[in-house]
Amino acid sequence: MGELKEIKDFLQQVTDAFAAVLDVELAIIDRNLEVIAGTGPYKKEVGFVYHQSSTSSQMMQSEKDSCLFIKNTTNSEYCKQCSRFSNCEVCAFSMCSISYRGRKVGTISLLALNEHQRKVLLKDYVHLMNFLYK
């Protein structure tokens, strides 16, 4: 597997299935910052390329494989650096880098777009972060 885009149809099926079970939105972004798969409003963004200031870009540039959990995007320094900060619908999210053979190839995010989804992320934080990490 060289690129996530090569398996985008499979990734879309997986994100749809997980979103239905987890009751939050999902997005998968490749190393070129292109949305490869998503649910909710991110399904319409498939093919959109995020700016270098995005949180996914920051995650991809980090030296280590990592996960990030933002409880409130309005107070997040990561989010404030993003060019879409003032128009962002996300109120909380969990994000992990996706690595393959020691190389970062993208990010996967669980996204809360409303207070109910934010509560789901907060309540099941440990389990959801473990899910993303694996």
Side-chain angles (χ1 to χ4, degrees):
M1 178 185 80
E3 299 296 330
L4 292 175
K5 202 170 193 175
E6 294 173 15
I7 58 169
K8 69 179 182 163
D9 293 337
F10 169 74
L11 292 173
Q12 186 59 59
Q13 290 175 348
V14 170
T15 58
D16 287 338
F18 283 136
V21 172
L22 298 174
D23 199 20
V24 296
E25 305 304 334
L26 278 89
I28 296 176
I29 297 175
D30 72 5
R31 66 186 178 102
N32 298 316
L33 305 179
E34 182 178 343
V35 180
I36 299 301
T39 63
Y42 296 95
K43 196 171 209 167
K44 295 175 192 164
E45 284 195 351
V46 170
F48 177 80
V49 177
Y50 275 86
H51 190 268
Q52 291 295 322
S53 65
S54 70
T55 307
S56 286
S57 177
Q58 294 173 60
M59 179 78 62
M60 293 297 295
Q61 293 173 21
S62 172
E63 298 262 334
K64 58 183 177 175
D65 287 341
S66 54
C67 291
L68 178 65
F69 181 64
I70 303 296
K71 296 178 186 178
N72 183 343
T73 57
T74 59
N75 298 329
S76 167
E77 290 305 315
Y78 283 97
C79 294
K80 288 178 183 177
Q81 295 176 39
C82 182
S83 63
R84 296 183 78 187
F85 177 70
S86 61
N87 298 325
C88 187
E89 296 179 59
V90 178
C91 56
F93 67 92
S94 300
M95 178 187 291
C96 283
S97 57
I98 301 170
S99 293
Y100 183 71
R101 295 187 176 172
R103 185 175 136 238
K104 287 185 183 181
V105 294
T107 62
I108 182 170
S109 301
L110 302 178
L111 305 137
L113 303 182
N114 56 51
E115 191 57 29
H116 168 74
Q117 290 178 331
R118 192 169 92 70
K119 286 179 181 177
V120 168
L121 285 180
L122 292 171
K123 177 182 169 250
D124 295 326
Y125 165 76
V126 172
H127 295 108
L128 293 173
M129 289 302 285
N130 188 43
F131 160 77
L132 282 181
Y133 187 74
K134 293 186 183 273

mmCIF file of all heavy atoms in Angstrom, residues 16-49:
data_model
loop_
_atom_site.group_PDB
_atom_site.id
_atom_site.type_symbol
_atom_site.label_atom_id
_atom_site.label_comp_id
_atom_site.label_asym_id
_atom_site.label_seq_id
_atom_site.Cartn_x
_atom_site.Cartn_y
_atom_site.Cartn_z
ATOM 1 N N ASP A 16 -18.004 4.814 7.267
ATOM 2 C CA ASP A 16 -19.469 4.782 7.391
ATOM 3 C C ASP A 16 -19.895 3.812 8.485
ATOM 4 O O ASP A 16 -20.762 4.134 9.310
ATOM 5 C CB ASP A 16 -20.121 4.382 6.065
ATOM 6 C CG ASP A 16 -20.073 5.480 5.009
ATOM 7 O OD1 ASP A 16 -19.931 6.665 5.367
ATOM 8 O OD2 ASP A 16 -20.170 5.126 3.818
ATOM 9 N N ALA A 17 -19.282 2.633 8.516
ATOM 10 C CA ALA A 17 -19.637 1.624 9.517
ATOM 11 C C ALA A 17 -19.275 2.081 10.924
ATOM 12 O O ALA A 17 -20.089 1.976 11.851
ATOM 13 C CB ALA A 17 -18.934 0.301 9.187
ATOM 14 N N PHE A 18 -18.080 2.596 11.103
ATOM 15 C CA PHE A 18 -17.655 3.046 12.432
ATOM 16 C C PHE A 18 -18.479 4.237 12.923
ATOM 17 O O PHE A 18 -18.826 4.318 14.091
ATOM 18 C CB PHE A 18 -16.169 3.383 12.459
ATOM 19 C CG PHE A 18 -15.280 2.183 12.499
ATOM 20 C CD1 PHE A 18 -14.159 2.114 11.693
ATOM 21 C CD2 PHE A 18 -15.550 1.110 13.331
ATOM 22 C CE1 PHE A 18 -13.327 1.005 11.722
ATOM 23 C CE2 PHE A 18 -14.724 -0.008 13.362
ATOM 24 C CZ PHE A 18 -13.613 -0.060 12.561
ATOM 25 N N ALA A 19 -18.793 5.162 12.045
ATOM 26 C CA ALA A 19 -19.583 6.325 12.450
ATOM 27 C C ALA A 19 -20.962 5.900 12.941
ATOM 28 O O ALA A 19 -21.479 6.454 13.922
ATOM 29 C CB ALA A 19 -19.710 7.320 11.297
ATOM 30 N N ALA A 20 -21.549 4.909 12.292
ATOM 31 C CA ALA A 20 -22.868 4.423 12.702
ATOM 32 C C ALA A 20 -22.823 3.811 14.104
ATOM 33 O O ALA A 20 -23.740 3.993 14.899
ATOM 34 C CB ALA A 20 -23.385 3.405 11.692
ATOM 35 N N VAL A 21 -21.748 3.115 14.414
ATOM 36 C CA VAL A 21 -21.610 2.469 15.719
ATOM 37 C C VAL A 21 -21.175 3.461 16.795
ATOM 38 O O VAL A 21 -21.689 3.456 17.910
ATOM 39 C CB VAL A 21 -20.595 1.297 15.636
ATOM 40 C CG1 VAL A 21 -20.286 0.737 17.011
ATOM 41 C CG2 VAL A 21 -21.127 0.204 14.720
ATOM 42 N N LEU A 22 -20.236 4.324 16.469
ATOM 43 C CA LEU A 22 -19.657 5.232 17.461
ATOM 44 C C LEU A 22 -20.493 6.482 17.713
ATOM 45 O O LEU A 22 -20.320 7.148 18.722
ATOM 46 C CB LEU A 22 -18.247 5.646 17.020
ATOM 47 C CG LEU A 22 -17.234 4.518 16.892
ATOM 48 C CD1 LEU A 22 -15.931 5.054 16.313
ATOM 49 C CD2 LEU A 22 -16.989 3.840 18.233
ATOM 50 N N ASP A 23 -21.375 6.831 16.796
ATOM 51 C CA ASP A 23 -22.229 8.008 16.906
ATOM 52 C C ASP A 23 -21.441 9.317 16.906
ATOM 53 O O ASP A 23 -21.774 10.276 17.604
ATOM 54 C CB ASP A 23 -23.123 7.917 18.148
ATOM 55 C CG ASP A 23 -24.320 8.858 18.067
ATOM 56 O OD1 ASP A 23 -24.676 9.283 16.949
ATOM 57 O OD2 ASP A 23 -24.883 9.185 19.123
ATOM 58 N N VAL A 24 -20.342 9.343 16.150
ATOM 59 C CA VAL A 24 -19.556 10.549 15.891
ATOM 60 C C VAL A 24 -19.181 10.524 14.410
ATOM 61 O O VAL A 24 -19.394 9.527 13.739
ATOM 62 C CB VAL A 24 -18.273 10.630 16.771
ATOM 63 C CG1 VAL A 24 -18.627 10.749 18.240
ATOM 64 C CG2 VAL A 24 -17.341 9.469 16.520
ATOM 65 N N GLU A 25 -18.629 11.609 13.921
ATOM 66 C CA GLU A 25 -18.197 11.662 12.520
ATOM 67 C C GLU A 25 -16.739 11.226 12.422
ATOM 68 O O GLU A 25 -15.989 11.331 13.383
ATOM 69 C CB GLU A 25 -18.359 13.078 11.960
ATOM 70 C CG GLU A 25 -19.752 13.657 12.089
ATOM 71 C CD GLU A 25 -20.863 12.815 11.475
ATOM 72 O OE1 GLU A 25 -20.602 12.028 10.538
ATOM 73 O OE2 GLU A 25 -22.006 12.957 11.922
ATOM 74 N N LEU A 26 -16.346 10.710 11.265
ATOM 75 C CA LEU A 26 -14.971 10.306 11.008
ATOM 76 C C LEU A 26 -14.455 10.968 9.746
ATOM 77 O O LEU A 26 -15.219 11.253 8.829
ATOM 78 C CB LEU A 26 -14.864 8.788 10.817
ATOM 79 C CG LEU A 26 -14.799 7.956 12.086
ATOM 80 C CD1 LEU A 26 -16.182 7.590 12.534
ATOM 81 C CD2 LEU A 26 -13.972 6.730 11.857
ATOM 82 N N ALA A 27 -13.148 11.185 9.714
ATOM 83 C CA ALA A 27 -12.486 11.679 8.510
ATOM 84 C C ALA A 27 -11.107 11.051 8.415
ATOM 85 O O ALA A 27 -10.414 10.898 9.427
ATOM 86 C CB ALA A 27 -12.370 13.198 8.530
ATOM 87 N N ILE A 28 -10.731 10.667 7.216
ATOM 88 C CA ILE A 28 -9.389 10.157 6.945
ATOM 89 C C ILE A 28 -8.757 11.089 5.915
ATOM 90 O O ILE A 28 -9.342 11.357 4.857
ATOM 91 C CB ILE A 28 -9.418 8.707 6.438
ATOM 92 C CG1 ILE A 28 -9.987 7.797 7.532
ATOM 93 C CG2 ILE A 28 -8.018 8.256 6.009
ATOM 94 C CD1 ILE A 28 -10.153 6.352 7.136
ATOM 95 N N ILE A 29 -7.592 11.604 6.260
ATOM 96 C CA ILE A 29 -6.874 12.552 5.420
ATOM 97 C C ILE A 29 -5.504 11.966 5.104
ATOM 98 O O ILE A 29 -4.838 11.444 5.999
ATOM 99 C CB ILE A 29 -6.757 13.915 6.134
ATOM 100 C CG1 ILE A 29 -8.170 14.479 6.349
ATOM 101 C CG2 ILE A 29 -5.875 14.883 5.364
ATOM 102 C CD1 ILE A 29 -8.231 15.749 7.151
ATOM 103 N N ASP A 30 -5.091 12.031 3.843
ATOM 104 C CA ASP A 30 -3.808 11.432 3.467
ATOM 105 C C ASP A 30 -2.649 12.400 3.702
ATOM 106 O O ASP A 30 -2.843 13.537 4.127
ATOM 107 C CB ASP A 30 -3.832 10.891 2.034
ATOM 108 C CG ASP A 30 -3.832 11.950 0.950
ATOM 109 O OD1 ASP A 30 -3.722 13.163 1.253
ATOM 110 O OD2 ASP A 30 -3.940 11.565 -0.229
ATOM 111 N N ARG A 31 -1.447 11.950 3.403
ATOM 112 C CA ARG A 31 -0.248 12.757 3.670
ATOM 113 C C ARG A 31 -0.187 14.022 2.825
ATOM 114 O O ARG A 31 0.539 14.956 3.138
ATOM 115 C CB ARG A 31 1.023 11.929 3.504
ATOM 116 C CG ARG A 31 1.297 11.472 2.109
ATOM 117 C CD ARG A 31 2.499 10.529 2.099
ATOM 118 N NE ARG A 31 2.740 10.041 0.765
ATOM 119 C CZ ARG A 31 3.691 10.498 -0.017
ATOM 120 N NH1 ARG A 31 4.496 11.434 0.401
ATOM 121 N NH2 ARG A 31 3.847 10.008 -1.224
ATOM 122 N N ASN A 32 -0.980 14.073 1.758
ATOM 123 C CA ASN A 32 -1.068 15.275 0.933
ATOM 124 C C ASN A 32 -2.176 16.212 1.421
ATOM 125 O O ASN A 32 -2.501 17.183 0.747
ATOM 126 C CB ASN A 32 -1.307 14.903 -0.527
ATOM 127 C CG ASN A 32 -0.160 14.089 -1.078
ATOM 128 O OD1 ASN A 32 1.004 14.406 -0.843
ATOM 129 N ND2 ASN A 32 -0.480 13.025 -1.792
ATOM 130 N N LEU A 33 -2.758 15.875 2.574
ATOM 131 C CA LEU A 33 -3.827 16.637 3.233
ATOM 132 C C LEU A 33 -5.151 16.595 2.477
ATOM 133 O O LEU A 33 -6.016 17.445 2.658
ATOM 134 C CB LEU A 33 -3.389 18.085 3.497
ATOM 135 C CG LEU A 33 -2.094 18.234 4.289
ATOM 136 C CD1 LEU A 33 -1.749 19.704 4.475
ATOM 137 C CD2 LEU A 33 -2.202 17.529 5.645
ATOM 138 N N GLU A 34 -5.317 15.583 1.639
ATOM 139 C CA GLU A 34 -6.567 15.397 0.908
ATOM 140 C C GLU A 34 -7.509 14.509 1.708
ATOM 141 O O GLU A 34 -7.102 13.474 2.237
ATOM 142 C CB GLU A 34 -6.301 14.748 -0.452
ATOM 143 C CG GLU A 34 -7.549 14.563 -1.273
ATOM 144 C CD GLU A 34 -7.292 13.956 -2.642
ATOM 145 O OE1 GLU A 34 -6.129 13.966 -3.105
ATOM 146 O OE2 GLU A 34 -8.260 13.474 -3.257
ATOM 147 N N VAL A 35 -8.770 14.910 1.794
ATOM 148 C CA VAL A 35 -9.781 14.085 2.464
ATOM 149 C C VAL A 35 -10.043 12.876 1.573
ATOM 150 O O VAL A 35 -10.456 13.018 0.417
ATOM 151 C CB VAL A 35 -11.084 14.874 2.718
ATOM 152 C CG1 VAL A 35 -12.111 13.983 3.409
ATOM 153 C CG2 VAL A 35 -10.812 16.132 3.540
ATOM 154 N N ILE A 36 -9.779 11.693 2.131
ATOM 155 C CA ILE A 36 -9.916 10.443 1.375
ATOM 156 C C ILE A 36 -11.260 9.776 1.655
ATOM 157 O O ILE A 36 -11.862 9.175 0.776
ATOM 158 C CB ILE A 36 -8.759 9.479 1.724
ATOM 159 C CG1 ILE A 36 -7.418 10.114 1.358
ATOM 160 C CG2 ILE A 36 -8.933 8.115 1.061
ATOM 161 C CD1 ILE A 36 -7.264 10.484 -0.095
ATOM 162 N N ALA A 37 -11.723 9.880 2.894
ATOM 163 C CA ALA A 37 -12.998 9.285 3.298
ATOM 164 C C ALA A 37 -13.547 10.084 4.460
ATOM 165 O O ALA A 37 -12.780 10.667 5.237
ATOM 166 C CB ALA A 37 -12.804 7.820 3.705
ATOM 167 N N GLY A 38 -14.867 10.105 4.583
ATOM 168 C CA GLY A 38 -15.460 10.835 5.688
ATOM 169 C C GLY A 38 -16.940 10.575 5.813
ATOM 170 O O GLY A 38 -17.569 10.018 4.921
ATOM 171 N N THR A 39 -17.486 11.010 6.947
ATOM 172 C CA THR A 39 -18.911 10.892 7.192
ATOM 173 C C THR A 39 -19.471 12.281 7.480
ATOM 174 O O THR A 39 -18.720 13.231 7.707
ATOM 175 C CB THR A 39 -19.194 9.951 8.381
ATOM 176 O OG1 THR A 39 -18.622 10.507 9.569
ATOM 177 C CG2 THR A 39 -18.641 8.559 8.126
ATOM 178 N N GLY A 40 -20.800 12.378 7.471
ATOM 179 C CA GLY A 40 -21.425 13.678 7.703
ATOM 180 C C GLY A 40 -20.920 14.675 6.683
ATOM 181 O O GLY A 40 -20.769 14.353 5.498
ATOM 182 N N PRO A 41 -20.593 15.887 7.117
ATOM 183 C CA PRO A 41 -20.125 16.906 6.163
ATOM 184 C C PRO A 41 -18.784 16.551 5.525
ATOM 185 O O PRO A 41 -18.454 17.061 4.451
ATOM 186 C CB PRO A 41 -20.004 18.177 7.008
ATOM 187 C CG PRO A 41 -20.007 17.733 8.414
ATOM 188 C CD PRO A 41 -20.712 16.417 8.468
ATOM 189 N N TYR A 42 -18.028 15.665 6.136
ATOM 190 C CA TYR A 42 -16.720 15.284 5.576
ATOM 191 C C TYR A 42 -16.857 14.354 4.381
ATOM 192 O O TYR A 42 -15.945 14.241 3.574
ATOM 193 C CB TYR A 42 -15.823 14.684 6.666
ATOM 194 C CG TYR A 42 -15.545 15.730 7.698
ATOM 195 C CD1 TYR A 42 -16.315 15.820 8.845
ATOM 196 C CD2 TYR A 42 -14.576 16.705 7.485
ATOM 197 C CE1 TYR A 42 -16.114 16.830 9.764
ATOM 198 C CE2 TYR A 42 -14.366 17.722 8.389
ATOM 199 C CZ TYR A 42 -15.139 17.772 9.528
ATOM 200 O OH TYR A 42 -14.945 18.789 10.419
ATOM 201 N N LYS A 43 -18.005 13.718 4.248
ATOM 202 C CA LYS A 43 -18.249 12.901 3.055
ATOM 203 C C LYS A 43 -18.286 13.795 1.820
ATOM 204 O O LYS A 43 -17.794 13.432 0.760
ATOM 205 C CB LYS A 43 -19.560 12.128 3.211
ATOM 206 C CG LYS A 43 -19.726 10.995 2.243
ATOM 207 C CD LYS A 43 -20.926 10.154 2.618
ATOM 208 C CE LYS A 43 -20.710 8.734 2.181
ATOM 209 N NZ LYS A 43 -21.665 7.812 2.770
ATOM 210 N N LYS A 44 -18.855 14.994 1.976
ATOM 211 C CA LYS A 44 -18.909 15.958 0.871
ATOM 212 C C LYS A 44 -17.541 16.570 0.591
ATOM 213 O O LYS A 44 -17.320 17.142 -0.466
ATOM 214 C CB LYS A 44 -19.898 17.076 1.196
ATOM 215 C CG LYS A 44 -21.320 16.607 1.314
ATOM 216 C CD LYS A 44 -22.218 17.735 1.763
ATOM 217 C CE LYS A 44 -23.576 17.196 2.150
ATOM 218 N NZ LYS A 44 -24.351 18.158 2.924
ATOM 219 N N GLU A 45 -16.626 16.476 1.555
ATOM 220 C CA GLU A 45 -15.294 17.059 1.392
ATOM 221 C C GLU A 45 -14.282 16.102 0.767
ATOM 222 O O GLU A 45 -13.127 16.464 0.581
ATOM 223 C CB GLU A 45 -14.752 17.546 2.740
ATOM 224 C CG GLU A 45 -15.377 18.832 3.201
ATOM 225 C CD GLU A 45 -14.598 19.492 4.316
ATOM 226 O OE1 GLU A 45 -13.647 18.888 4.864
ATOM 227 O OE2 GLU A 45 -14.948 20.628 4.652
ATOM 228 N N VAL A 46 -14.690 14.863 0.475
ATOM 229 C CA VAL A 46 -13.761 13.926 -0.156
ATOM 230 C C VAL A 46 -13.196 14.584 -1.411
ATOM 231 O O VAL A 46 -13.937 15.106 -2.240
ATOM 232 C CB VAL A 46 -14.447 12.581 -0.468
ATOM 233 C CG1 VAL A 46 -13.560 11.700 -1.350
ATOM 234 C CG2 VAL A 46 -14.809 11.849 0.831
ATOM 235 N N GLY A 47 -11.881 14.623 -1.488
ATOM 236 C CA GLY A 47 -11.189 15.280 -2.587
ATOM 237 C C GLY A 47 -10.679 16.666 -2.220
ATOM 238 O O GLY A 47 -9.788 17.191 -2.885
ATOM 239 N N PHE A 48 -11.234 17.256 -1.158
ATOM 240 C CA PHE A 48 -10.784 18.574 -0.711
ATOM 241 C C PHE A 48 -9.391 18.454 -0.095
ATOM 242 O O PHE A 48 -9.096 17.491 0.609
ATOM 243 C CB PHE A 48 -11.767 19.144 0.319
ATOM 244 C CG PHE A 48 -11.358 20.472 0.891
ATOM 245 C CD1 PHE A 48 -11.584 21.646 0.187
ATOM 246 C CD2 PHE A 48 -10.731 20.546 2.121
ATOM 247 C CE1 PHE A 48 -11.201 22.874 0.706
ATOM 248 C CE2 PHE A 48 -10.344 21.766 2.657
ATOM 249 C CZ PHE A 48 -10.581 22.930 1.953
ATOM 250 N N VAL A 49 -8.535 19.424 -0.345
ATOM 251 C CA VAL A 49 -7.182 19.419 0.212
ATOM 252 C C VAL A 49 -7.085 20.529 1.259
ATOM 253 O O VAL A 49 -7.342 21.700 0.950
ATOM 254 C CB VAL A 49 -6.109 19.621 -0.887
ATOM 255 C CG1 VAL A 49 -4.713 19.677 -0.279
ATOM 256 C CG2 VAL A 49 -6.208 18.511 -1.928
#
